């Protein structure tokens, strides 16, 4: 026999922290909840790792960014969990799960029994090895998923003052880390296969704006090619990267952000999977009624789009966590999760938000060259379905969020263009 809990959260990331707060707000009793995490620290706001954590002056360090400060809520320190009778089992990986027997087996050999399991195992960073390149264990190669990775990246930056970094990948990690490297006075070359950065979200026109801004900060872009191999010195440090197009770039450090894979391994063959994650219903409940999934690992129905999506963003992690706990504690009173996808980023002095879906025709507004707010709407099948805004005010961001949720009918794209941001503000 092992320890038994009414509720167990597997994973101690963003979603776990917000779920814990929701449990407490809804009257959790002492000893009912346990959180098991392979990370050695209590849940924290992961977005800080590519932003405040990497600043050269007064960088953010724990305990300052434990959840749930990112949503302007209470900061849940280890003391908070103790005071609320929540068992935090840290630095402990779960090695296997048996959903029929409702048990988890930890790497320390302990069996944990649950009535309800909430899976919040998040995702792991894809490794270069998965693309046929070896050597990513070198001390000057960094990934960025957890605190250990972030500390390693900080060490690499501090060992390379004024040096050269190559950033592999033009997605979120690549763009945010490149900005942080520049702020740390490191020369940056970004390498990615697409014709422009953030290709899955941004249009070429918007992406060009950000690339030009990065270029003005000294960042070089090498697009349309990928890493072929790494060169090492006799100490095993990477000295150069070789690209498939034949170029060789000397480096002091390499940062890799080439995507993630959800951590579903424990449940393969036991739960229904979809879109690379654990398929759940509108109550975040999986194909086994005792198991819920939240955050990056959950593939849930997005009512607005009428389809199952898996979203790898912090707002979805926070809100799916809260909804799952509401559904667990309040049963029938809790309706279906009705989520409006929301992504954002902040780099240098730039800041953007995106709501909804980026499908259909694009209508731009604002003047990108003026240094003032600009953005775009996406219109699909006669409805406004997505909105992007750079440099907006709080009220303007709220307006594009509200408008996107309403999905207003758009008959005349020209008129929408003429109204621009004013359209959202007056809807
Ligand atoms: P995670 O926060 O990844 O937590 C998963 C937890 O499960 C981890 O603690 C992990 O160690 C643990 N775990 C996994 N497997 C096991 C196991 N077998 N046993 C025990 N524990 C296990 N999103 C935004 O919207 N905006 C941003 O600005 C932003 N910035 C980001 C910056 C960085 C550097 C990163 C990495 C992500 C960023 N994201 C951002 C994405 C956001 O952080 C994630 O969507 C969010 O963390 C997902 O929460 P989660 O709880 O599902 O997973
Ligand atoms: P992304 O999926 O955002 O981007 C990965 C990028 O790497 C894509 O441009 C991808 O191209 C490219 N790529 C893939 N394979 C290679 C290769 N072999 N060589 C070079 N480039 C390659 O993932 P990230 O790693 O940037 O981010 C990881 C996670 O962290 C994501 O879940 C993200 O949402 C999250 N995150 C979110 C932030 C935010 O919301 N502000 C900030 C930081 C992280 P292709 O598209 O062709 O596959």
């Amino acid at each position: 026999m092992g320890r038994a809990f009414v509720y167990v959260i597997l994973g101690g990331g963003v979603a776990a922290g917000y779920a814990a707060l929701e449990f407490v707000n809804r009257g959790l009793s002492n000893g009912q909840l346990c959180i098991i995490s392979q990370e050695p620290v209590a849940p924290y706001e992961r977005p800080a790792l590519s932003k405040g954590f990497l600043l050269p002056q007064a960088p953010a360090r724990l305990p300052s960014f434990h959840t749930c400060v990112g949503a302007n809520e209470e900061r849940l320190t280890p003391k908070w969990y103790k005071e609320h009778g929540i068992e935090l089992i840290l630095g402990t990986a779960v090695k296997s799960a048996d959903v029929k027997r409702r048990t988890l087996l930890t790497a320390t050999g302990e069996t944990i029994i649950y009535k309800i399991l909430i899976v919040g195992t998040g995702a792991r960073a894809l490794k270069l090895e998965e693309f046929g390149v070896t050597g990513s264990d070198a001390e000057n190669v960094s990934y960025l998923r957890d605190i250990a990775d972030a500390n390693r990246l900080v060490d690499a930056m501090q060992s390379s003052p004024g040096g050269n970094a190559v950033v592999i990948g033009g997605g979120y990690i690549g763009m945010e880390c490149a900005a942080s490297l520049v702020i740390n006075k490191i020369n940056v070359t970004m390498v990615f296969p697409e014709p422009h950065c953030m290709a899955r979200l941004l249009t070429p026109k918007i992406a060009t704006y950000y690339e030009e801004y990065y270029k003005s900060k000294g960042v070089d872009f090498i697009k349309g090619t990928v890493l072929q191999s790494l060169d090492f010195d006799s100490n095993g440090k990477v000295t150069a990267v070789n690209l498939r197009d034949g170029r060789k770039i000397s480096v002091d450090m390499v940062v890799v952000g080439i995507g993630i894979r959800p951590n579903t391994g424990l449940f393969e063959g036991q739960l229904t999977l979809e879109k690379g994650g654990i398929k759940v219903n509108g109550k975040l409940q999986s194909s086994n009624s005792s198991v819920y999934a939240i955050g990056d690992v959950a593939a849930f129905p997005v009512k607005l789009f009428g389809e199952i999506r898996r979203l790898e963003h912090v707002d979805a992690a926070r809100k799916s966590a809260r909804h799952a706990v509401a559904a667990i504690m309040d049963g029938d009173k809790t309706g279906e999760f009705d989520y409006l996808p929301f992504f954002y980023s902040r780099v240098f002095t730039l800041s953007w938000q995106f709501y909804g879906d980026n499908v259909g025709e694009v209508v731009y507004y604002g003047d990108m060259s003026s240094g003032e707010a600009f953005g775009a709407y996406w219109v699909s099948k006669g409805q406004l379905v997505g909105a992007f805004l750079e440099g907006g005010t709080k009220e303007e961001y709220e307006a594009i969020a509200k408008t996107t949720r309403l999905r207003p009918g758009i008959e005349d794209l020209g008129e929408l263009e003429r109204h621009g941001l004013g359209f959202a503000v007056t809807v």
Side-chain angles (χ1 to χ4, degrees), residues 43-103:
Y44 58 88
E45 301 285 357
R46 202 164 301 280
L49 297 183
S50 53
K51 304 175 188 71
F53 199 93
L54 302 181
L55 290 175
Q57 307 292 333
R61 289 291 179 269
L62 288 175
S64 75
F65 60 96
H66 280 300
T67 55
C68 301
V69 291
N72 295 321
E73 304 250 12
E74 240 176 301
R75 185 163 56 98
L76 315 184
T77 58
K79 188 164 160 254
W80 181 90
Y81 292 93
K82 205 166 188 181
E83 281 168 3
H84 290 87
I86 298 170
E87 185 74 26
L88 265 187
I89 305 180
L90 300 177
T92 305
V94 167
K95 286 292 177 203
S96 65
D98 185 333
V99 302
K100 285 211 178 77
R101 294 202 169 127
R102 299 190 192 183
T103 57

Side-chain angles (χ1 to χ4, degrees), residues 6-30:
V6 183
Y7 310 113
V8 171
I9 303 175
L10 168 51
V14 171
Y18 283 79
L21 182 61
E22 190 67 26
F23 268 122
V24 167
N25 288 346
R26 286 176 182 271
L28 181 82
S29 304
N30 275 6

Side-chain angles (χ1 to χ4, degrees), residues 124-138 141 143 227 230 232 256 258:
R124 65 175 179 83
L126 279 173
K127 290 286 169 83
L128 288 173
E129 278 71 5
E130 292 166 75
F131 295 85
V133 176
T134 51
S136 69
D137 289 339
V141 175
Y143 293 85
L227 186 62
L230 301 168
F232 302 91
V256 185
I258 53 174

Side-chain angles (χ1 to χ4, degrees), residues 215-421:
K215 283 184 200 165
S216 77
K217 299 278 180 189
V219 175
D220 282 334
F221 287 87
I222 301 181
K223 308 188 220 174
T225 190
V226 292
L227 186 62
Q228 175 98 344
S229 64
L230 301 168
D231 291 349
F232 302 91
D233 67 12
S234 54
N235 298 318
K237 272 184 81 171
V238 175
T239 54
V241 304
N242 300 301
L243 305 183
R244 193 171 291 167
D245 69 4
R247 271 185 266 198
K248 181 189 282 288
I249 310 166
S250 298
V251 290
D252 298 290
M253 60 182 290
V254 177
V255 179
V256 185
I258 53 174
I260 61 166
R261 284 289 175 275
N263 292 317
T264 54
L266 296 172
F267 301 98
E268 271 157 31
Q270 302 195 73
L271 301 176
T272 304
L273 303 183
E274 193 168 320
K275 304 246 158 106
I278 296 172
K279 185 182 180 187
V280 292
N281 62 19
K283 295 194 190 291
L284 287 311
Q285 193 174 31
S286 76
S287 54
N288 178 300
S289 60
S290 308
V291 182
Y292 291 71
I294 55 179
D296 282 7
V297 81
F300 63 89
V302 178
K303 270 175 115 179
L304 270 174
F305 307 153
E307 63 178 55
I308 301 269
R309 297 255 177 123
R310 200 179 52 71
L311 299 174
E312 302 171 354
H313 293 272
V314 75
D315 183 65
R318 292 169 180 156
K319 290 185 177 144
S320 61
R322 298 193 121 157
H323 198 87
V325 174
I328 290 165
M329 302 270 287
D330 252 351
D332 294 340
K333 273 193 251 156
T334 305
E336 307 280 298
F337 189 37
D338 186 7
Y339 183 66
L340 171 68
F342 164 45
F343 317 146
Y344 71 90
S345 185
R346 288 189 299 270
V347 286
F348 299 116
T349 55
L350 302 173
S351 175
W352 58 259
Q353 296 191 8
F354 170 85
Y355 294 88
D357 208 3
N358 59 339
V359 292
E361 297 201 63
V362 187
V363 174
Y364 295 97
Y365 59 81
D367 179 1
M368 289 188 184
S369 59
S370 67
E372 286 172 15
F374 70 86
Y377 299 113
W378 279 259
V379 178
S380 176
K381 296 177 188 147
Q383 282 183 308
L384 189 151
V385 296
F388 175 94
L389 173 59
E390 163 63 48
T393 61
K394 186 169 169 283
E395 291 71 26
E396 287 166 344
Y397 287 126
E398 282 168 6
I400 62 162
K402 187 173 137 232
T403 305
T404 310
R405 178 170 279 288
L406 288 171
R407 293 170 74 97
I410 303 291
E411 281 169 15
D412 182 348
L413 296 182
E415 200 180 318
L416 178 62
E417 189 174 3
R418 274 191 299 285
H419 285 292
L421 183 56

